[in-house]
Amino acid sequence: MAANPEKKVGGAARGRGGARPGGAARGAATGGPQRAAANGATPEPGPGKNGPLGAPPGATPGVGGGAGRGAVSAAKGAAPRGGRPTGPPVGPGGEDPEVFYADVLRFLAGLEVPFMVGGTYAVNAYIGSHRPTKDMDVFVRAGDYPRIINAAADANFETLVEDERWIAKVLRGPFYCDVIFASANMISPVTDEWFRESSRAEVLGVTVNLLPPTELVWSKSFIADRYKFDGNDVAHVMLVKHDAIDWERLLRHMDQHWEVLLMHIIRFRYIYPSERERIPRWLLDLLLGRLNDHMNLPTPQKKACRGRIFSREDFQIDVAEWGFADLGGDDKFS
């Protein structure tokens, strides 16, 4: 579905407070309304031989790419690095984080600026899981993020531009919503093409657009370091939403990084040997043909390491000590 035309963003009376301690956040935190009901999307019947994958008894498949009303409640607890969730974070007054997330969604829904919910909330909605998450991710175009952040500050949310290359935040106390308009590795900016489909779902009592399955896979394909690996999300979305993924569009997104797409497909085939046909045969044949063509090419002269696309920390030694060129082509580590 085409993105909505750009319109003037409405907002509450100005009420910006000071910066957060140790940061440049704007806006004073305010209390939220009573806790909203946490409803997500019920998954379509999954590919298992014995019935729906993750669907509760009597669940009804939704509409709009499989996203309908159901019982998905994404989650409350923040996981420490390398550990399991320890329970929901709480604010100074014991506030449930989902109260804040619901407030943010209602605020965004009233702006008439296109946005989509991604991350764990989208995965939970599509596959019927209930996995905890430490935050909420919303995806917007780069041209729209300043309007959203300014309007949020006008509405007395705290705001923070964490990295102008790809991410800003809306905050209240310890809770935050990431406003994402590109990626940390700079290879996947949010464009109009991301908004050409619409998968509607009710999240925390608010009807929103979810990130399409195609772009959800694209956004998670490069998140792979020692602390966070989204390859399992990719496999699950491929399994449950294979018929909703636009494989040609996914290939266009990943054309320069086709080996990463092939890696995820091979991994999917290994994980689900009985479900291999859910990946289009033409796509696997095309990617294997590219692999064969590349095997016949001369060895590249530039000693480069693309591992830092996945993890800057894990592959730092390759550039700092082992003589590999960094992402920008410079032989020196920075």
Side-chain angles (χ1 to χ4, degrees), residues 294-324:
H294 272 250
M295 290 175 65
N296 294 321
L297 291 175
T299 301
Q301 295 299 296
K302 189 71 169 181
K303 185 180 178 181
C305 175
R306 289 184 291 195
R308 277 162 62 84
I309 292 178
F310 298 107
S311 172
R312 291 187 64 85
E313 292 181 6
D314 291 347
F315 290 93
Q316 174 178 335
I317 191 173
D318 302 71
V319 179
E321 300 182 21
W322 296 348
F324 285 89

Side-chain angles (χ1 to χ4, degrees), residues 114-200:
F115 74 95
M116 295 176 292
V117 174
T120 300
Y121 274 93
V123 172
N124 284 348
Y126 281 134
I127 73 173
S129 62
H130 303 269
R131 193 179 74 214
T133 180
K134 69 184 188 306
D135 61 6
M136 173 174 283
D137 295 338
V138 298
F139 289 75
V140 303
R141 294 174 300 190
D144 288 331
Y145 104 82
R147 302 169 62 218
I148 289 173
I149 295 302
N150 286 330
D154 287 340
N156 290 330
F157 287 102
E158 296 178 78
T159 59
L160 179 70
V161 179
E162 181 176 329
D163 188 334
E164 197 171 49
R165 296 172 295 181
W166 72 285
I167 188 171
K169 292 181 184 292
V170 176
L171 313 95
R172 179 188 294 155
F175 313 130
Y176 59 92
C177 171
D178 287 334
V179 179
I180 298 169
F181 44 91
S183 60
N185 55 22
M186 303 292 106
I187 65 173
S188 54
V190 178
T191 65
D192 288 341
E193 189 168 22
W194 292 43
F195 291 87
R196 290 179 182 172
E197 290 183 13
S198 177
S199 296
R200 302 284 283 176

Side-chain angles (χ1 to χ4, degrees), residues 13-329:
R14 299 178 67 86
R16 295 174 178 167
R20 300 179 76 219
R26 301 193 309 169
T30 61
Q34 295 296 319
R35 187 169 188 265
N39 293 319
T42 301
E44 294 177 345
K49 298 296 187 292
N50 298 318
L53 176 69
T60 302
V63 296
R69 295 179 63 93
V72 172
S73 174
K76 306 178 183 174
R81 280 195 162 188
R84 294 181 180 274
T86 57
V90 294
E95 183 184 15
D96 189 318
E98 289 189 344
V99 173
F100 166 69
Y101 300 149
D103 286 350
V104 172
L105 291 181
R106 281 190 290 270
F107 161 74
L108 292 172
L111 291 184
E112 297 186 354
V113 176
F115 74 95
M116 295 176 292
V117 174
T120 300
Y121 274 93
V123 172
N124 284 348
Y126 281 134
I127 73 173
S129 62
H130 303 269
R131 193 179 74 214
T133 180
K134 69 184 188 306
D135 61 6
M136 173 174 283
D137 295 338
V138 298
F139 289 75
V140 303
R141 294 174 300 190
D144 288 331
Y145 104 82
R147 302 169 62 218
I148 289 173
I149 295 302
N150 286 330
D154 287 340
N156 290 330
F157 287 102
E158 296 178 78
T159 59
L160 179 70
V161 179
E162 181 176 329
D163 188 334
E164 197 171 49
R165 296 172 295 181
W166 72 285
I167 188 171
K169 292 181 184 292
V170 176
L171 313 95
R172 179 188 294 155
F175 313 130
Y176 59 92
C177 171
D178 287 334
V179 179
I180 298 169
F181 44 91
S183 60
N185 55 22
M186 303 292 106
I187 65 173
S188 54
V190 178
T191 65
D192 288 341
E193 189 168 22
W194 292 43
F195 291 87
R196 290 179 182 172
E197 290 183 13
S198 177
S199 296
R200 302 284 283 176
E202 189 174 276
V203 176
L204 303 178
V206 184
T207 301
V208 297
N209 286 324
L210 299 178
L211 203 62
T214 306
E215 279 68 35
L216 187 58
V217 169
W218 172 221
S219 70
K220 287 179 168 290
S221 290
F222 294 88
I223 300 177
D225 66 18
R226 74 183 74 176
Y227 301 116
K228 183 172 175 59
F229 176 69
D230 282 359
N232 297 335
D233 286 346
V234 170
H236 282 141
V237 174
M238 285 182 170
L239 177 68
V240 178
K241 303 301 295 181
H242 62 94
D243 57 347
I245 294 173
D246 185 331
W247 296 97
E248 292 183 357
R249 189 165 85 238
L250 183 60
L251 179 61
R252 288 198 300 272
H253 285 317
M254 302 188 72
D255 190 46
Q256 185 179 358
H257 311 282
W258 61 271
E259 287 161 304
V260 177
L261 179 56
L262 178 59
M263 175 183 72
H264 283 292
I265 290 175
I266 296 297
R267 188 171 182 273
F268 177 91
R269 288 170 56 85
Y270 180 82
I271 294 171
Y272 302 113
S274 65
E275 312 302 327
R276 291 171 177 170
E277 71 279 2
R278 298 185 181 277
I279 307 298
R281 178 61 182 267
W282 67 262
L283 179 59
L284 182 58
D285 288 343
L286 185 151
L287 295 175
L288 291 175
R290 288 191 183 184
L291 180 62
N292 185 66
D293 290 340
H294 272 250
M295 290 175 65
N296 294 321
L297 291 175
T299 301
Q301 295 299 296
K302 189 71 169 181
K303 185 180 178 181
C305 175
R306 289 184 291 195
R308 277 162 62 84
I309 292 178
F310 298 107
S311 172
R312 291 187 64 85
E313 292 181 6
D314 291 347
F315 290 93
Q316 174 178 335
I317 191 173
D318 302 71
V319 179
E321 300 182 21
W322 296 348
F324 285 89
D326 204 354
L327 300 178

